[in-house]
């Protein structure tokens, strides 16, 4: 399943790269790509793990960039 989500609170491309790399390591994620300029994240993941992956994605973003959020 490929889904695009809006994100907010991201302040630099280095943080985007760190977040992207950590999300890509999650079980069930095939690909994660953050567009820093467009403030979007593209996730390709196993649909059966959607809730788990989105929750983990939010946790990773807040750990690396406090205050960052994703619109589901």
């Amino acid at each position: 399943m490929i889904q695009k989500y809006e994100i907010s609170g991201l302040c630099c491309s280095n943080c985007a790269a760190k977040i992207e790399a950590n999300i890509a390591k999650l079980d069930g994620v095939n690909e994660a790509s953050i567009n820093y300029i467009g403030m979007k994240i593209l996730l390709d993941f196993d649909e059966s793990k959607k809730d788990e992956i989105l929750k983990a994605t939010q946790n990773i973003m807040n750990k690396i960039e406090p205050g960052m959020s994703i619109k589901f």
Side-chain angles (χ1 to χ4, degrees):
M1 171 180 223
I2 299 174
Q3 293 275 299
K4 188 181 287 185
Y5 300 95
E6 292 181 28
I7 54 177
S8 62
L10 186 60
C11 70
C12 71
S13 59
N14 287 334
C15 290
K18 287 179 188 174
I19 291 167
E20 195 176 271
N22 280 283
I23 293 171
K25 293 177 188 174
L26 293 173
D27 183 38
V29 172
N30 301 318
E31 184 178 350
S33 177
I34 294 179
N35 179 324
Y36 170 65
I37 302 297
M39 298 299 265
K40 305 254 189 249
I41 182 168
L42 182 70
L43 293 174
D44 180 2
F45 56 92
D46 179 350
E47 188 172 354
S48 68
K49 297 181 177 184
K50 181 179 179 179
D51 292 340
E52 176 184 331
I53 289 169
L54 292 179
K55 184 176 179 180
T57 297
Q58 180 69 59
N59 288 340
I60 288 169
M61 291 188 321
N62 276 314
K63 185 175 178 183
I64 295 174
E65 189 74 40
M68 189 175 174
S69 65
I70 181 171
K71 290 183 182 177
F72 300 119

